[in-house]
Amino acid sequence: MSTIAWSWTYFWTVVLCDAYLVDILRVPLRYISMFLNTLTPKFYVALTGTSSLISGLILIFEWWYFRKYGTSFIEQVSVSHLRPLLGGVDNSSPTNSNSSNGDADSNRQSVSECKVWRNPLNLFRGAEYNRYTWVTGREPLTYYDMNLSAQDHQTFFTCDSDHLRPADAIMQKAWRERNPQARISAAHESLELEDCATASILLAEEEATTIVEAEKLFKQALKTGEGCYRRSQQLQHHGAQYEAQHRRDTNVLVYIKRRLAMCSRKLGRTREAVKMLRDLMKEFPLLSMFNIHENLLESLLELQNYADVQAVLAKYDDISLPKSATICYTAALLKARAVSDKFSPEAASRRGLSTAEMNAVEAIHRAVEFNPHVPKYLLEMKSLILPPEHILKRGDSEAIAYAFFHLQHWKRVEGALNLLHCTWEGTFRMIPYPLEKGHLFYPYPICTETADRELLPMFHEVSVYPKKELPFFILFTAGLCSFTAMLALLTHQFPELMGVFAKAVSLLGLLCSALFWPCTCSVLVGC
């Protein structure tokens, strides 16, 4: 009985409130109706047209921002600025504190996943990168990439005892200089005091305009570097200072010898380059961080010495060692070489794949899963640019660096690119979505796009995998723009009819607001 009584009370309260509001709003509604009657069809055309124009401009800006930065501008502003103002984040809450710690941990994990590596086949700045700039007027290297190189040089070519020798002290400052001319001038000043291996390295890298000039300077650096290495080797156990100096001299010597081998490779003396790289790997077997085997693989492929390539892969394509595009795609190339000259997709669809063909396809799928950006460069579906000095494994930068040097090797193997073209897209049917776990490798990192945008120049369109779905606000503004444009068109074609429709919708909206407001208030009071 109490429920029935409460229901009747609620019903009559709502009716009386509605009647009271209608009586109160009778005069304002009359004025609003008179105002709407004074509006001409041209006003509605202008209104809908302006709305369509504004929403179209917002759509264009949102799309440009998404293509450049990979996120929605409205969403980013809402999350970064409006949400804290509206009380979306409570620092006093332990739950939010734990979640913020979790976000920080995930950010640190993301950074560790996106470790940037030195490109083993990086070009010479003076003889190659600068010549590209002179011809095209474009900068092939980003500030972020060059800054990473400066950090590498300070790590490998300096030590705490450099202040004891004037030439090394000058070079210690030179590696920190941002201005290339200041670095070159400091290197010349260091050489005027005494023979300095690192000064010759800097001049070979940045001042030499040809590979021949760079090779001469590296040979000069080699003579000085070997003397420093022998002296520090005898004193390395006399204290921590001598040990650090020996480690620096070792890094300098390895760097010089590898760059000399690369000069020989670029000048067509490939067998000499192979011998130098093999000797370097035997002399310093523990310095795997330089990835000298990737230089060796490229030189052996140029000689078409596939047996030795397979021997190198057998040593380095191991489950305990970090993979690279060079390792995975070279293994796929060797497997494809055995069947690619006779491979036909029509014949394979009729009779099925043979064991050798299945092995080749699986090797291609493995390589594509590791780095899905490479096939478009090998198949020349995307234009190549000069590779950066640093690469992100499994990223677009690594794909560019690999394809830049290895495209010719794929072209040399008859039918290899045809086999790649027929099979590489099948990889994506095997990889789980949304990539919560990998098929053959660990899940694909989500931070590659951001790192590649820092490493690659602005004029290059960064390849993104997996493709990001369009943000909600782009879809919303696209729908809003289309809807207002349609209204503008209809208002222009049928001004009288659309004017009546607009007045009816406005009055209906006001009446609905007036009717539903008491219901809302009574419900809130009842609660």
Side-chain angles (χ1 to χ4, degrees):
M1 291 297 292
S2 61
T3 303
I4 296 174
W6 182 86
S7 301
W8 275 104
T9 304
Y10 174 79
F11 172 76
W12 285 109
T13 302
V14 171
V15 170
L16 290 174
C17 287
D18 286 343
Y20 181 69
L21 274 175
V22 169
D23 183 66
I24 291 177
L25 295 175
R26 183 172 53 187
V27 176
L29 286 174
R30 186 183 304 133
Y31 283 111
I32 293 173
S33 177
M34 292 173 58
F35 172 74
L36 292 176
N37 288 329
T38 60
L39 298 178
T40 63
K42 291 183 179 180
F43 170 79
Y44 294 110
V45 174
L47 178 65
T48 52
T50 305
S51 302
S52 176
L53 176 63
I54 294 174
S55 57
L57 293 176
I58 295 174
L59 174 62
I60 292 172
F61 177 76
E62 274 284 295
W63 177 255
W64 169 82
Y65 195 87
F66 174 72
R67 290 296 299 272
K68 186 173 182 180
Y69 299 105
T71 185
S72 167
F73 174 78
I74 299 176
E75 182 179 352
Q76 187 177 12
V77 170
S78 301
V79 173
S80 304
H81 303 286
L82 298 182
R83 186 179 177 186
L85 293 176
L86 296 175
V89 178
D90 186 6
N91 294 329
S92 62
S93 172
T95 305
N96 288 338
S97 176
N98 294 335
S99 64
S100 64
N101 292 335
D103 292 341
D105 293 340
S106 64
N107 290 335
R108 284 194 293 269
Q109 182 180 2
S110 176
V111 171
S112 65
E113 284 178 353
C114 288
K115 177 183 178 182
V116 175
W117 299 72
R118 182 84 177 174
N119 183 3
L121 298 167
N122 65 303
L123 305 177
F124 294 86
R125 282 197 191 177
E128 292 172 307
Y129 287 121
N130 287 348
R131 291 178 67 182
Y132 176 83
T133 304
W134 298 335
V135 173
T136 64
R138 291 177 168 182
E139 290 290 343
L141 297 176
T142 63
Y143 174 77
Y144 176 70
D145 192 15
M146 292 188 288
N147 187 47
L148 289 176
S149 297
Q151 295 176 20
D152 292 340
H153 296 153
Q154 293 175 49
T155 301
F156 293 139
F157 301 152
T158 62
C159 65
D160 295 337
S161 62
D162 283 346
H163 65 279
L164 300 177
R165 293 191 297 181
D168 288 337
I170 293 174
M171 288 308 301
Q172 192 174 37
K173 295 179 181 179
W175 293 120
R176 297 193 181 100
E177 283 287 347
R178 292 186 178 182
N179 187 357
Q181 292 303 321
R183 289 196 298 270
I184 292 173
S185 300
H188 282 294
E189 182 183 352
S190 177
L191 287 174
E192 289 175 1
L193 297 177
E194 60 177 320
D195 289 337
C196 180
T198 54
S200 298
I201 288 175
L202 192 148
L203 295 178
E205 291 285 352
E206 301 194 19
E207 188 182 41
T209 56
T210 63
I211 300 299
V212 175
E213 293 178 15
E215 187 180 34
K216 290 180 181 178
L217 288 167
F218 273 120
K219 287 181 178 179
Q220 178 182 335
L222 179 64
K223 183 178 179 181
T224 307
E226 284 181 334
C228 293
Y229 175 75
R230 285 193 294 268
R231 287 193 295 271
S232 63
Q233 189 177 26
Q234 297 172 357
L235 301 173
Q236 62 175 316
H237 301 297
H238 290 191
Q241 177 179 331
Y242 293 102
E243 184 178 354
Q245 187 172 346
H246 176 66
R247 185 165 54 251
R248 189 275 309 270
D249 292 338
T250 302
N251 293 334
V252 169
L253 185 61
V254 171
Y255 186 89
I256 294 171
K257 288 187 174 183
R258 187 174 72 166
R259 293 305 259 179
L260 277 172
M262 294 176 67
C263 289
S264 298
R265 167 70 183 88
K266 293 176 184 292
L267 294 173
R269 305 194 303 268
T270 309
R271 295 188 183 278
E272 179 183 339
V274 169
K275 183 180 183 304
M276 295 173 69
L277 291 169
R278 287 188 186 277
D279 293 341
L280 185 59
M281 293 171 67
K282 289 179 182 177
E283 187 177 0
F284 301 98
L286 300 179
L287 293 180
S288 59
M289 61 181 174
F290 288 103
N291 293 323
I292 303 172
H293 60 277
E294 296 198 9
N295 298 83
L296 179 61
L297 282 172
E298 198 279 327
S299 299
L300 291 172
L301 286 171
E302 176 64 21
L303 295 175
Q304 301 184 45
N305 194 343
Y306 298 110
D308 287 352
V309 172
Q310 184 62 58
V312 175
L313 286 177
K315 181 178 180 180
Y316 289 96
D317 192 6
D318 186 80
I319 193 172
S320 61
L321 297 176
K323 297 291 183 293
S324 67
T326 301
I327 293 291
C328 295
Y329 278 90
T330 302
L333 177 61
L334 293 188
K335 295 284 182 66
R337 177 176 169 268
V339 298
S340 60
D341 56 337
K342 300 178 182 178
F343 178 78
S344 170
E346 293 79 10
S349 61
R350 287 196 307 268
R351 58 172 170 78
L353 295 175
S354 63
T355 303
E357 290 173 339
M358 183 63 71
N359 291 336
V361 171
E362 288 178 354
I364 290 175
H365 286 176
R366 172 178 179 262
V368 174
E369 181 181 349
F370 182 82
N371 193 317
H373 310 284
V374 172
K376 287 189 176 182
Y377 294 107
L378 292 180
L379 298 173
E380 298 180 90
M381 300 166 64
K382 257 193 112 174
S383 58
L384 274 172
I385 61 172
L386 295 185
E389 292 183 338
H390 290 80
I391 59 174
L392 179 69
K393 289 193 175 183
R394 307 187 76 179
D396 191 30
S397 52
E398 184 192 34
I400 292 171
Y402 173 79
F404 185 86
F405 294 100
H406 289 262
L407 176 58
Q408 56 183 331
H409 307 316
W410 279 82
K411 287 184 175 181
R412 191 177 292 126
V413 177
E414 183 182 357
L417 290 175
N418 178 49
L419 179 61
L420 177 67
H421 175 72
C422 295
T423 57
W424 75 278
E425 291 182 333
T427 309
F428 303 111
R429 292 192 293 269
M430 305 167 57
I431 302 176
Y433 187 82
L435 303 181
E436 295 167 346
K437 57 181 180 178
H439 179 63
L440 296 174
F441 297 100
Y442 51 86
Y444 198 81
I446 60 175
C447 57
T448 54
E449 180 185 1
T450 304
D452 277 332
R453 289 185 189 278
E454 295 287 340
L455 289 172
L456 298 172
M458 291 294 294
F459 58 82
H460 173 72
E461 184 180 353
V462 176
S463 177
V464 180
Y465 178 82
K467 290 291 184 181
K468 288 188 176 181
E469 296 181 358
L470 288 177
F472 165 76
F473 286 105
I474 289 183
L475 300 176
F476 175 76
T477 51
L480 181 62
C481 179
S482 302
F483 178 70
T484 52
M486 183 184 66
L487 284 181
L489 180 62
L490 291 174
T491 307
H492 179 72
Q493 294 292 329
F494 311 103
E496 299 295 338
L497 181 62
M498 292 302 294
V500 173
F501 176 75
K503 295 172 186 176
V505 170
S506 302
L507 290 174
L508 182 63
L510 289 172
L511 288 174
C512 289
S513 301
L515 290 174
F516 283 107
W517 173 249
C519 300
T520 307
C521 293
S522 59
V523 168
L524 293 175
V525 171
C527 292

